[in-house]
């Protein structure tokens, strides 16, 4: 994908919870997946192994802090982590809280749904989440 | 999941390419996904953030080395990385080479297939892969 066509090289419409020179952390705001966050590399690179090792570590530290915060805020059954990028080959990590009664559990969110929505969960408080991310990552 | 019922607390039937005290790297040997490897934590823990930071880093280094080796050996269109664990909540990383003409591309491998198999690809040479993993991780 040419860099100028890459949607993740722009931040249009994103709700950014935390950012620095290397990456930004956004709230996905998908009602189907409350708490879903993404850690997005700011510059354009396709694979983790395209990055210097220091940048990989810094990016993963952000993923761990998001995972920890989502576990604290939401007590999910499981956290799912994925860096896929087949559609948009620009490094980004999905951090997805999952619950045993969610529409797809235990399948990945990309599989067909197994059941209708049962428990409706709210988004975590984004201001509080942003404060925690800043506390551990700034 | 009780530890004694956890299938990843055993190594039965696994083709181990590299192992140390912390983790093992296995060839999944799924003809649908040539080159698919897993990095599996040896001890039982559900989430990356259940591990000390040093162990997370050591595990991710293994993921990066597997990713690099698979890129070198197979020149995939993209590498997919995922730590899900909804079915088996024991830390393990999927490292999956993907090609633009594979059955599911650009969707994740867990989505419904989009097309029949076109190009049939062979597994990378496991002995050569094991040598590379050992060179970088031992």
């Amino acid at each position: 994908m040419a860099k100028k066509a890459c949607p993740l090289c722009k931040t249009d419409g994103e709700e950014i919870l935390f950012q620095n020179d290397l990456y930004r952390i956004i709230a996905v705001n998908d009602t189907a997946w409350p708490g879903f966050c993404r850690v997005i590399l700011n510059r354009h690179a396709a694979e983790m192994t395209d990055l210097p090792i220091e940048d990989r570590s810094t990016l993963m530290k952000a993923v761990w802090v998001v995972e920890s915060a989502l576990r604290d805020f939401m007590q999910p059954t499981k956290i799912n982590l994925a860096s896929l990028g087949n559609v948009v080959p620009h490094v980004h990590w999905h951090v997805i809280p999952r619950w045993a009664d969610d529409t797809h559990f235990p399948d990945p969110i990309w599989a067909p749904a197994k059941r209708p929505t049962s428990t409706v969960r709210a988004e975590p408080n984004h201001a509080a989440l942003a404060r925690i991310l800043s506390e551990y990552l700034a």
Side-chain angles (χ1 to χ4, degrees), chain A:
Chain A
M1 182 178 290
K3 190 173 170 182
K4 70 179 167 182
C6 174
L8 291 182
C9 283
K10 308 178 192 79
T11 61
D12 302 359
E14 291 180 349
E15 183 189 341
I16 297 174
L17 299 173
F18 177 81
Q19 61 185 322
N20 59 23
D21 286 350
L22 185 66
Y23 62 80
R24 59 199 187 266
I25 299 171
I26 70 162
V28 172
N29 284 314
D30 180 338
T31 52
W33 303 109
F36 189 165
C37 291
R38 280 193 196 105
V39 180
I40 305 171
L41 184 72
N42 289 331
R43 72 180 185 274
H44 191 80
E47 304 282 13
M48 285 298 287
T49 50
D50 290 333
L51 307 180
I53 189 80
E54 298 75 18
D55 288 351
R56 296 178 216 169
S57 299
T58 305
L59 210 53
M60 295 318 294
K61 183 183 174 192
V63 172
W64 313 144
V65 170
V66 173
E67 173 176 305
S68 281
L70 291 174
R71 292 179 75 185
D72 285 349
F73 277 62
M74 305 189 83
Q75 291 84 47
T77 306
K78 189 71 189 65
I79 291 285
N80 288 179
L81 304 175
S83 172
L84 307 175
N86 305 323
V87 177
V88 183
H90 173 133
V91 170
H92 59 285
W93 283 89
H94 303 286
V95 185
I96 315 162
R98 300 294 310 276
W99 284 269
D101 65 353
D102 75 31
T103 49
H104 291 59
F105 201 89
D107 289 349
I109 70 165
W110 305 281
K114 297 177 93 74
R115 64 187 74 86
T117 304
S118 50
T119 310
V120 177
R121 292 179 177 87
E123 276 293 304
N125 182 312
H126 287 183
L129 187 55
R131 274 196 304 276
I132 290 286
L133 297 179
S134 181
E135 186 176 322
Y136 284 91
L137 295 169

